[in-house]
Amino acid sequence: VQLQASGGGLVQVGGSLRLSCAAFERIFSRYHMGWFRQAPGKEREFVAGFNWRAGSTLYSDSVKGRFTISTDNAKNTMYLQMDSLKPEDTATYYCAADLNWPLRQRGMDYWGRGTLVTVSS
């Protein structure tokens, strides 16, 4: 399974970005999907996840209400809409896939390359 994340960039505080994660095969009905991020000097952390079997989403407390995860099965693409961005959202964001739920950053089956998000104040 190949995943490719894109959409990162520089944005001001309070702004929005939408990240994309393209899969090169149909996986959204087999794998649970998630977004993780890693800030400089910190461990990678869970941001948002999509459970395909339950059709449910899960968010970390730090992004709940501001970020939205979604998938487009026709395009084999997952998105992370990020609104009301804060400086502490600055990180490299990774998309990942796993057969198991809940998602755990040390146990993900597949990872995409990261895309850098920088929020300037």
Side-chain angles (χ1 to χ4, degrees), residues 11-96:
V11 63
Q12 291 187 332
V13 169
S16 298
L17 274 179
R18 188 177 77 160
L19 305 183
S20 299
C21 176
F24 292 90
E25 57 185 281
R26 294 187 180 276
I27 65 170
F28 297 149
S29 59
R30 293 187 288 132
Y31 288 87
H32 306 298
M33 302 297 297
W35 288 96
F36 295 77
R37 68 185 181 187
Q38 187 167 20
K42 295 187 177 181
E43 287 195 0
R44 192 175 300 185
E45 64 175 0
F46 169 80
V47 175
F50 178 76
N51 182 317
W52 73 266
R53 192 178 296 275
S56 61
T57 57
L58 184 66
Y59 299 92
S60 67
D61 289 342
S62 60
V63 307
K64 196 175 298 182
R66 300 187 298 120
F67 290 12
T68 304
I69 187 173
S70 62
T71 60
D72 185 331
N73 290 349
K75 296 182 178 180
N76 294 333
T77 301
M78 175 177 66
Y79 302 99
L80 184 68
Q81 177 66 42
M82 305 186 296
D83 299 318
S84 302
L85 283 161
K86 305 175 180 180
E88 52 264 42
D89 295 318
T90 295
T92 298
Y93 285 72
Y94 301 87
C95 59

Side-chain angles (χ1 to χ4, degrees), residues 103-115:
L103 305 179
R104 303 185 188 281
Q105 74 96 2
R106 294 187 185 277
M108 300 301 289
D109 291 331
Y110 300 101
W111 290 93
R113 288 188 177 182
T115 184

